Amino acid sequence: MTDICVLGNFVADNTFYSEKLPTKGQTVFGSGFQVGPGGKGSNQAIAAARLKSKVSFLGKVGDDEYGKMAIELYKKNNLNHKTVFVSNEHPTGVAGIMVNQTDGTNAIIVYPGASMEITIDEVNKFSNLISNCKVFLTQLEIKTDVTLHALKLAKKGNAITILNPAPAIKIEDEFFKYIDFFTPNETEAEFYFGKKIENYDQAKEAGDFFIKKGVKNSIITLGDKGIYFTNQSSNFAMPALDLKNKVKDTTGAGDAFSGALASGLEKKMDIKECLKFAIKVSGISTTKKGAADAMPFANDIK
Ligand code: RIB
């Protein structure tokens, strides 16, 4: 039984921690390094599974050590991974991440490897799963035609669809009518909206713009300013957790939010309760290092 189906990528995150991020042409010493599971899709799937939702992760890895890391991760976190394709031609993707240890902010380069090679035909093998799940969650770290196809499959059934439009890349307008929840962060929202978003008023304007485009609900995540929610009948801001100097690494905070949102929706939480829950999960994830490894468990939320 699957409550949440996540389509997306797995990559191995190679993360460097340092007091400040290097500028162009500069070399700085790091204070730490780790290799761990990442990839927006996989992180979101782990976040939801750790909150006790039944999750299937649909993606592609290589036949190599990092591919094994992914499968081990899914086994350990009780995800259905029969939906993970293993490529003999392409290596598992990797990401190079630099984290500023003073405020937890980061810069990321993703080399998607095998994850980018998942095809429409492969996705079609799990069309029933996609159409019959309660919540279908995806991002933009695989090919966009595959993502759009899967969103259509999900809407053919009764699934609630969530698109976390990350990384920000150009998508066809057709996408918007298949999206129940659109969850950009402020930088991504600026990209799709075409204007700066520095306060709640501007977030409201962007939210209204996304609703006019066809999404049912827009949730713009605004880092330490919380979130801004918009739909046809209401709009409001909600503050972030006050974490003071507890933030260690913000990598995957947006993934924690989208995964928790999916979990809350699948459990039929009322929207305000669901948003509070997702804000809390996302905030807690920043107090630990890593991406998937930093996702809190249901017990951590209490
Ligand atoms: O959202 C964070 C993730 O983005 C990282 O885990 C990295 O792999 C990139 O996909």
Side-chain angles (χ1 to χ4, degrees):
M1 234 292 276
T2 290
D3 292 327
I4 302 175
C5 178
V6 183
L7 167 68
N9 71 335
F10 170 89
V11 299
D13 286 353
N14 288 247
T15 306
F16 298 81
Y17 296 89
S18 67
E19 265 173 29
K20 58 178 189 134
L21 301 189
T23 53
K24 217 188 269 180
Q26 191 188 23
T27 302
V28 298
F29 281 111
S31 54
F33 172 75
Q34 68 182 36
V35 180
K40 296 183 197 305
S42 179
N43 294 341
Q44 294 175 17
I46 297 298
R50 287 189 173 182
L51 298 169
K52 299 196 169 158
S53 291
K54 295 191 182 75
V55 180
S56 291
F57 176 66
L58 181 47
K60 198 173 211 173
V61 296
D63 186 10
D64 49 30
E65 284 309 308
Y66 287 155
K68 285 187 194 122
M69 179 199 275
I71 304 298
E72 281 311 306
L73 175 77
Y74 305 140
K75 281 187 186 157
K76 217 165 131 192
N77 288 279
N78 298 318
L79 275 84
N80 171 24
H81 57 87
K82 289 192 184 119
T83 40
V84 176
F85 291 91
V86 179
S87 166
N88 294 319
E89 288 166 69
H90 300 276
T92 304
V94 287
I97 305 184
M98 293 185 292
V99 176
N100 179 332
Q101 68 181 56
T102 51
D103 61 5
T105 53
N106 61 43
I108 305 179
I109 295 180
V110 179
Y111 168 67
S115 64
M116 195 55 101
E117 304 303 322
I118 191 163
T119 63
I120 287 179
D121 283 348
E122 284 167 334
V123 164
N124 280 342
K125 296 204 167 101
F126 297 103
S127 57
N128 280 339
L129 187 95
I130 295 173
S131 308
N132 293 323
C133 65
K134 294 186 194 161
V135 178
F136 174 72
L137 168 61
T138 193
Q139 321 70 31
L140 296 173
E141 259 179 349
I142 62 165
K143 288 188 178 122
T144 50
D145 60 333
V146 180
T147 307
L148 180 61
H149 177 77
L151 280 167
K152 286 180 186 171
L153 284 177
K155 284 317 308 171
K156 251 191 205 164
N158 262 335
I160 297 171
T161 57
I162 306 175
L163 178 71
N164 173 229
I169 52 170
K170 198 178 160 10
I171 50 174
E172 299 304 321
D173 271 357
E174 194 192 356
F175 260 82
F176 294 104
K177 65 176 179 218
Y178 297 104
I179 303 169
D180 293 321
F181 288 83
F182 188 58
T183 61
N185 66 20
E186 68 230 277
T187 322
E188 290 143 8
E190 281 175 5
F191 174 87
Y192 297 105
F193 180 42
K195 289 188 207 165
K196 273 254 156 251
I197 300 172
E198 280 161 345
N199 52 44
Y200 290 149
D201 287 342
Q202 290 164 341
K204 177 182 181 312
E205 254 189 78
D208 290 342
F209 172 81
F210 298 139
I211 299 300
K212 276 203 196 101
K213 283 263 185 194
V215 313
K216 307 276 179 314
N217 302 274
S218 154
I219 305 166
I220 303 176
T221 58
L222 301 163
D224 58 8
K225 291 197 236 30
I227 62 110
Y228 199 91
F229 175 86
T230 311
N231 69 11
Q232 287 284 2
S233 52
S234 65
N235 54 72
F236 54 85
M238 238 184 217
L241 288 190
D242 183 7
L243 291 163
K244 299 211 167 62
N245 51 6
K246 290 197 193 111
V247 176
K248 289 204 175 102
D249 184 349
T250 58
T251 312
D255 300 333
F257 184 89
S258 286
L261 175 72
S263 182
L265 291 171
E266 167 272 298
K267 294 185 184 100
K268 297 202 173 8
M269 282 183 191
D270 129 270
I271 187 64
K272 286 204 171 160
E273 190 194 352
C274 191
L275 292 171
K276 262 190 216 156
F277 175 66
I279 288 172
K280 207 165 173 187
V281 170
S282 164
I284 294 172
S285 78
T286 66
T287 62
K288 289 188 198 143
K289 285 183 172 176
D293 287 341
M295 298 305 165
F297 292 87
N299 282 343
D300 301 326
I301 311 305
K302 289 172 201 144

